[in-house]
Amino acid sequence: SQHAMEYHSLPPSTTSPSFSSSKRPVLLGTILGCAVCAILVVVSGSSTLGFGVRATPMTMSHQPVLTSRAGNFKTMARVGGVDIPNRKRLEISLQSIYGIGSATAQSIIHNTQVENKRVYELEEEELTKVRAEVDKYVIEGDLRRQIRQDIARLIDIQCFRGKRHQAGLPCRGQNTKNNARTRKRNRHVKI
């Protein structure tokens, strides 16, 4: 075959599975040189290796942050029954709660007069204010239950939107001739 011909046309040193004895010292020297270079970078703390490659020293930025609140070490703050991310700013962390978006998070921060800093930097009294404000909203399980009940009510009264939910089709007037793949997920049958 053509591939076999190309394989045999290569020089014998590259086709053999092992290196020849004359190339072993070069390979060993290259490996040792790289190891020595890496050790020098770590010991000296230099960020450049001298040939355009930057080495980043190991920092504490990748370590999990532990915050001390009332003597207990926690990795996440709990707000509204949800562990919110510790390393993000409060506005972004609040958006990890189902039912709280960008506008709601901004209004929570505005109403509580809490500075928008990283969650692990917040004091316990600031977190208490945020928890009290979040409790005023319908979030997480209660919101999911409310949405399910609303859809069940539409289906019970057999209105247009209820029938579309029942049939698993779009409710808001979208065309279904070509698209609507999300709602018509398992309809096509392979023959």
Side-chain angles (χ1 to χ4, degrees):
S1 77
Q2 186 179 8
H3 296 291
M5 199 178 330
E6 290 174 4
Y7 181 77
H8 291 296
S9 66
L10 295 174
S13 63
T14 57
T15 58
S16 64
S18 62
F19 291 104
S20 66
S21 60
S22 65
K23 293 189 179 188
R24 281 193 185 133
V26 174
L27 180 65
L28 235 139
T30 305
I31 292 172
L32 288 175
C34 289
V36 169
C37 185
I39 291 170
L40 287 175
V41 167
V42 171
V43 170
S44 68
S46 173
S47 63
T48 60
L49 299 177
F51 43 85
V53 178
R54 294 187 58 80
T56 56
M58 293 293 285
T59 61
M60 294 296 288
S61 65
H62 299 294
Q63 299 295 323
V65 173
L66 299 176
T67 61
S68 175
R69 292 196 178 98
N72 298 334
F73 285 98
K74 297 181 181 178
T75 56
M76 305 280 266
R78 195 152 181 87
V79 177
V82 178
D83 289 334
I84 62 173
N86 215 12
R87 304 286 306 264
K88 297 180 180 177
R89 296 198 177 276
L90 181 61
E91 181 182 343
I92 303 301
S93 290
L94 286 174
Q95 293 179 37
S96 66
I97 301 171
Y98 183 79
I100 296 181
S102 177
T104 310
Q106 288 174 3
S107 71
I108 288 170
I109 291 172
H110 176 72
N111 293 342
T112 57
Q113 303 291 319
V114 173
E115 186 182 342
N116 185 20
K117 52 189 174 183
R118 298 194 186 274
V119 174
Y120 68 87
E121 296 172 350
L122 292 173
E123 299 297 326
E124 191 61 40
E125 71 176 44
E126 292 173 325
L127 271 174
T128 306
K129 286 182 188 176
V130 170
R131 287 184 188 119
E133 187 67 26
V134 166
D135 287 340
K136 296 177 183 177
Y137 293 91
V138 180
I139 55 171
E140 285 296 322
D142 295 335
L143 180 59
R144 294 178 207 268
R145 189 178 314 105
Q146 181 181 344
I147 291 170
R148 267 198 318 270
Q149 288 172 348
D150 291 344
I151 292 172
R153 180 182 53 82
L154 292 173
I155 292 171
D156 286 344
I157 63 175
Q158 287 292 298
C159 66
F160 178 78
R161 284 174 55 207
K163 288 180 181 179
R164 299 296 278 186
H165 274 292
Q166 203 169 20
L169 292 169
C171 301
R172 299 182 177 180
Q174 297 96 322
N175 292 333
T176 57
K177 180 178 179 182
N178 294 326
N179 293 324
R181 286 291 108 203
T182 304
R183 289 303 306 253
K184 294 164 64 172
R185 196 166 295 170
N186 295 323
R187 292 181 183 269
H188 57 279
V189 178
K190 294 181 182 175
I191 300 174

